[in-house]
């Protein structure tokens, strides 16, 4: 990963976190754990963790429904030549944590 890609990843992670802070329901914690940027720098996938887990699907749906507003916010702060498309997805490490947590509880 180049320095430019790392800076963009960090910038979009902070931008998405600030954006989602205003969307989250009271009592729900949404964390942007990482942002994955495509090779052509046009698509950004923000990986989210949601607590409580029962609200994960609802939070992802809400975030993806409002991604156009995030794109508009990014356009105002645009550091590149074009505006990226954003997508929100659950953090895959959450499933690993669940599996390992289940093993630890079984012992």
């Amino acid at each position: 990963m180049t320095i430019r890609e790392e800076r963009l990843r960090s910038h979009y992670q902070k931008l998405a976190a600030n954006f989602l802070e205003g969307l989250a329901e009271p009592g729900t914690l949404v964390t942007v754990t990482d942002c994955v940027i495509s090779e052509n720098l046009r698509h950004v996938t923000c990986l989210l963790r949601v607590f409580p887990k029962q609200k994960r699907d609802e939070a992802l749906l809400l975030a993806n429904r409002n991604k156009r507003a995030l794109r508009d916010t990014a356009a105002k702060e645009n550091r590149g030549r074009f505006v990226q498309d954003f997508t929100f997805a659950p953090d895959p490490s959450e499933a690993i944590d669940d599996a390992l947590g289940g093993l630890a509880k079984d012992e």
Side-chain angles (χ1 to χ4, degrees):
M1 181 176 291
T2 66
I3 292 173
R4 178 177 182 222
E5 290 170 340
E6 182 62 30
R7 286 182 182 164
L8 281 172
R9 186 194 64 76
S10 176
H11 173 71
Y12 289 130
Q13 185 174 0
K14 290 175 187 172
L15 187 70
N18 290 336
F19 176 75
L20 291 172
E21 184 178 22
L23 287 180
E25 293 180 12
T28 303
L29 176 65
V30 179
T31 305
V32 180
T33 56
D34 197 10
C35 286
V36 180
I37 303 175
S38 66
E39 288 184 22
N40 64 2
L41 306 177
R42 293 188 182 258
H43 303 283
V44 180
T45 302
C46 299
L47 303 177
L48 305 180
R49 288 190 123 186
V50 180
F51 183 81
K53 292 179 186 177
Q54 298 83 1
K55 301 267 188 169
R56 183 179 65 198
D57 293 336
E58 185 179 323
L60 284 169
L61 183 65
L62 181 65
N64 279 310
R65 204 179 300 150
N66 290 292
K67 64 185 177 183
R68 178 71 184 185
L70 177 59
R71 188 172 194 257
D72 293 342
T73 302
K76 292 176 187 172
E77 299 182 11
N78 198 353
R79 295 182 177 187
R81 289 175 248 167
F82 44 83
V83 180
Q84 286 71 17
D85 289 322
F86 288 88
T87 305
F88 295 95
D91 188 345
S93 67
E94 189 172 10
I96 295 169
D97 288 348
D98 290 344
L100 291 175
L103 291 175
K105 291 177 186 174
D106 291 341
E107 294 178 1

